[in-house]
Amino acid sequence: MIRLLIALVCIGGAVALRGPLAKANALRRAHQFRYTPDPGLVKLASCGHRSSLADLLWLQAIPDLSAQFADLEHKERWLAGVLDVVTDLEPTFVTVYAYGSAYFDLIKGSPDSTIALLEKGVDRNPESIQLRVKLAMALMTLRGDRAAALEHLEWVMNSPDCDSFTAGYCSSILVDDRQDLVALEYWKEYLDSANEQVVGVAKLYLERTRQGIFMRAWEEFQRVEGRRPFSLEELRDDRFLSPAITDEVLACAILTDDGRLQFPRLVEEEFLRVQQRTKDWCEAYHVEHGEWPTLYQLREESKIPLPRVPEGFELRLENGQLEVVTEGS
Amino acid sequence: MRDCVFAIAGSTYREAVRDRVLWVVFVFAAGLVLFSRVLGWLSVEDDLKMLQDFSLSGLNMLGLSLAMLVGAFSLAREVERRTATTILTRDISRGEFILGKYLGLVGVFWSCLIAGFVVMMTWQILWGGGFAVKALAALLGLLCESLLLGAVALFFGALTNAILAAVGTVVFYLMAHSLEALYELTIYGDEVRGAWFYKMAYKVLPNLEDVNFINATASELPVRWDHLGMGALGVLCWSIVFLLGASALFRRREL
């Protein structure tokens, strides 16, 4: 009987506590309570499951990156803390550096935190191309530190896994920095490659670099002289182009009689690149569907940006081969 | 080694396999492996990494649960049922009895861990992941860990009752996995009170992080096989120490 009474009293007590506890919980929900752990203690508490604990904390942080918090300061403190802890628990968790830096940059608008997190990532993952490129971009755009950005990009360019986008970005910085010769030489090195695709990409980017140098010289001429150049030869001047590259750069452009600039070699290289990508995509399509795609399917289903063709011409796709032909032929 | 040791090992293995607890623990671990895919879906890019992380952590917990629920209770059950008394009336020493039990338990632990690993790899391959040799390092580390946990469970089983032995095994697990972090606190952190103790403990106590290759497997860290080899050797040495201790304690125990 006494036992039953004790049990009933306990149940009653627990139910009575429910009210104040519910209020306390509501208060915590309103304040969006988050526990920000200390990195050292988390390592201790992880008992060897560092990766899994880092994963769990990261999963908890992902929705908070873009969530609205009533207390913004609290959100920032929590996310700064959790990003620090996760990267301490698992220093090779590249995704966390990448997304964390995007949060600091795009949402919080804190360039220093962005760069600090990426620097931590590169320091602990010196072989990560992704982090180096992101750090270089952050250094360039947020701090305007060309030298530091180039240092990382040049490291990436020396890596066999460097992608053409990064190399293009690097050469554009070099061009902006008036290191034209280096930017051009970088792409020329690949012209002797045994891999045809590499040669194709290098030719395209070489032309893009030449165009970039040309346009910079063109704009500088306009700024200095206060007018457009009447002929390309007017750019043959040390103030705008280094003598070592003048011929090569001027040869990439044509100034038409009506004063329009054209870059025929670049257009040609870009078309060749589109042709190559189209061929690869069509072959994959053929393997999958057993038939060659039509031009309509290419436009709708592939993400390849097809070039505009001049009036009187049209694009034709036959057995994966993309060509420009005269209309109606 | 005498045949009777293998006979005891065989009967321990068969008895453990018949135990429902083992199957419950195994199904729980396999469930965790399968569930890890859900966590992968919640992540942004690292779905396979999460699958591997949580699966390997699940296998690690499987090793601990087996040591705690099967290993620590194994000796007590023999004593309680008086089967130990019957066996020891024959031409077999108590040390041999402990060794036989240990080999049987290790056989059970290893079978479960390897089966769990096969489930994990099949699951991973089904979701588009490949088989990485690095994952083998994690498995070998788990097998080494279970070698030591088995010996510790028997040691505590010989020292005290089954419940306390299970608790002791868990405490040992927590301690042996925390030594590395405690040591790290003393070398990278601020001034830590009692740092000298942590440093000394790091040198003289068994460290299960020596054979923990879960983090290296799932992340991009390289696996140092020589480190794994040294860690395995260290674990083997400690296992022998705990087995000798278990044998000594069991010799003094009144049955």
Side-chain angles (χ1 to χ4, degrees):
Chain A
M1 190 62 193
I2 293 171
R3 283 179 191 165
L4 184 67
L5 202 65
I6 292 171
L8 284 174
V9 168
C10 288
I11 291 170
V15 170
L17 279 170
R18 205 53 252 156
L21 279 173
K23 276 182 194 162
N25 286 344
L27 207 63
R28 288 199 305 188
R29 279 195 294 276
H31 288 156
Q32 289 161 314
F33 176 79
R34 300 285 190 282
Y35 170 64
T36 313
D38 176 84
L41 292 178
V42 171
K43 277 182 189 170
L44 188 61
S46 69
C47 282
H49 299 274
R50 290 187 183 191
S51 283
S52 301
L53 197 59
D55 291 347
L56 282 176
L57 283 168
W58 175 232
L59 286 177
Q60 201 187 351
I62 290 171
D64 286 347
L65 290 173
S66 56
Q68 295 288 334
F69 273 56
D71 181 353
L72 203 62
E73 216 173 89
H74 173 59
K75 175 183 177 175
E76 287 170 6
R77 204 169 50 244
W78 147 247
L79 283 175
V82 81
L83 290 173
D84 194 36
V85 171
V86 172
T87 50
D88 272 353
L89 277 173
E90 193 169 358
T92 55
F93 208 157
V94 171
T95 316
V96 180
Y97 296 108
Y99 279 81
S101 63
Y103 156 74
F104 282 133
D105 182 20
L106 303 173
I107 299 175
K108 193 183 168 195
S110 165
D112 289 340
S113 305
T114 308
I115 291 170
L117 185 63
L118 287 170
E119 277 177 341
K120 183 180 179 183
V122 170
D123 187 44
R124 292 170 180 200
N125 304 277
E127 302 293 317
S128 169
I129 288 179
Q130 186 191 356
L131 288 180
R132 280 204 187 250
V133 172
K134 277 189 182 294
L135 177 58
M137 285 180 165
L139 286 166
M140 185 68 201
T141 52
L142 302 177
R143 211 177 260 171
D145 190 344
R146 279 175 196 279
L150 270 176
E151 195 183 309
H152 291 289
L153 285 175
E154 277 169 5
W155 185 94
V156 175
M157 291 204 350
N158 286 321
S159 157
D161 298 324
C162 174
D163 63 312
S164 55
F165 171 77
T166 306
Y169 181 61
C170 184
S171 60
S172 77
I173 293 180
L174 288 169
V175 170
D176 284 349
D177 217 24
R178 301 190 72 92
Q179 296 184 47
D180 301 340
L181 197 63
V182 182
L184 291 169
E185 286 305 317
Y186 172 74
W187 292 111
K188 284 179 189 169
E189 268 181 35
Y190 288 102
L191 296 180
D192 298 329
S193 168
N195 186 328
E196 271 181 38
Q197 288 223 11
V198 172
V199 175
V201 171
K203 278 182 178 174
L204 174 64
Y205 276 89
L206 181 60
E207 285 307 323
R208 283 188 181 167
T209 308
R210 283 173 180 153
Q211 186 209 27
I213 297 168
F214 179 90
M215 288 312 298
R216 192 202 63 216
W218 182 271
E219 282 159 15
E220 281 180 3
F221 181 93
Q222 287 184 315
R223 202 169 49 246
V224 172
E225 301 293 333
R227 63 170 177 87
R228 282 162 60 93
F230 297 129
S231 72
L232 298 185
E233 285 304 307
E234 282 193 288
L235 294 177
R236 200 179 283 280
D237 187 321
D238 290 0
R239 289 177 297 166
F240 312 123
L241 285 171
S242 153
I245 56 158
T246 306
D247 288 336
E248 180 181 350
V249 171
L250 292 184
C252 80
I254 293 173
L255 187 61
T256 59
D257 293 341
D258 55 354
R260 280 187 299 148
L261 270 175
Q262 288 181 348
F263 299 92
R265 287 207 315 232
L266 177 60
V267 172
E268 191 185 331
E269 289 300 335
E270 277 179 343
F271 186 67
L272 285 173
R273 180 83 182 129
V274 169
Q275 268 187 322
Q276 183 60 48
R277 286 180 66 191
T278 303
K279 192 178 162 212
D280 294 344
W281 186 83
C282 290
E283 279 172 358
Y285 187 98
H286 187 251
V287 170
E288 199 178 328
H289 297 91
E291 58 179 9
W292 291 104
T294 61
L295 190 61
Y296 175 78
Q297 285 164 329
L298 177 71
R299 276 189 210 281
E300 293 297 311
E301 294 175 32
S302 79
K303 286 179 181 169
I304 302 168
L306 298 180
R308 281 190 197 161
V309 290
E311 227 171 277
F313 292 87
E314 64 180 1
L315 286 172
R316 180 191 286 166
L317 182 67
E318 220 171 85
N319 295 344
Q321 191 65 39
L322 187 71
E323 285 173 330
V324 179
V325 294
T326 49
E327 240 170 18
S329 67
Chain B
M1 212 179 294
R2 296 205 306 164
D3 288 346
C4 55
V5 173
F6 292 111
I8 292 169
S11 71
T12 306
Y13 184 89
R14 280 191 297 277
E15 191 190 345
V17 169
R18 274 189 232 118
D19 195 342
R20 276 188 201 159
V21 172
L22 180 128
W23 290 102
V24 169
V25 171
F26 181 76
V27 167
F28 176 75
L32 192 63
V33 169
L34 302 181
F35 177 72
S36 62
R37 186 69 192 94
V38 177
L39 294 169
W41 281 323
L42 296 176
S43 73
V44 272
E45 281 178 5
D46 308 281
D47 45 350
L48 282 176
K49 175 194 175 302
M50 300 248 170
L51 192 152
Q52 214 166 35
D53 273 343
F54 288 107
S55 300
L56 288 171
S57 286
L59 293 186
N60 186 276
M61 296 314 290
L62 171 68
L64 170 67
S65 308
L66 289 175
M68 201 175 86
L69 300 172
V70 180
F73 280 78
S74 161
L75 209 55
R77 201 174 291 154
E78 297 280 4
V79 175
E80 202 178 295
R81 288 181 192 161
R82 303 263 169 210
T83 45
T85 321
T86 317
I87 293 167
L88 290 170
T89 51
R90 298 187 181 187
D91 179 25
I92 181 169
S93 71
R94 292 194 177 197
E96 284 170 330
F97 179 73
I98 289 286
L99 185 61
K101 295 286 309 171
Y102 177 67
L103 291 178
L105 286 174
V106 167
V108 173
F109 297 168
W110 284 17
S111 305
C112 283
L113 287 170
I114 290 168
F117 185 76
V118 171
V119 171
M120 179 196 126
M121 287 319 295
T122 313
W123 193 229
Q124 190 176 312
I125 290 165
L126 270 177
W127 287 105
F131 176 80
V133 185
K134 281 203 304 185
L136 271 182
L139 174 68
L140 290 174
L142 290 172
L143 297 181
C144 291
E145 185 172 320
S146 68
L147 212 61
L148 180 53
L149 286 179
V152 170
L154 274 182
F155 174 81
F156 284 120
L159 180 71
T160 179
N161 66 44
I163 303 281
L164 283 178
V167 173
T169 308
V170 177
V171 171
F172 173 84
Y173 171 90
L174 295 175
M175 182 276 298
H177 270 297
S178 303
L179 279 177
E180 197 69 43
L182 279 171
Y183 182 67
E184 217 173 291
L185 277 180
T186 63
I187 52 171
Y188 297 127
D190 305 326
E191 277 300 304
V192 178
R193 194 175 291 175
W196 64 271
F197 176 75
Y198 299 143
K199 283 180 183 168
M200 198 181 70
Y202 184 75
K203 284 179 188 164
V204 299
L205 293 176
N207 185 351
L208 283 175
E209 286 296 292
D210 291 342
V211 288
N212 182 359
F213 282 76
I214 296 177
N215 301 339
T217 306
S219 62
E220 295 303 313
L221 291 171
V223 170
R224 291 282 306 268
W225 295 94
D226 52 334
H227 285 186
L228 177 59
M230 276 194 295
L233 204 62
V235 161
L236 190 67
C237 292
W238 277 111
S239 303
I240 293 169
V241 169
F242 278 102
L243 269 184
L244 289 174
S247 175
L249 287 169
F250 195 58
R251 244 179 263 134
R252 291 183 184 182
R253 190 158 168 173
E254 279 185 28
L255 297 175

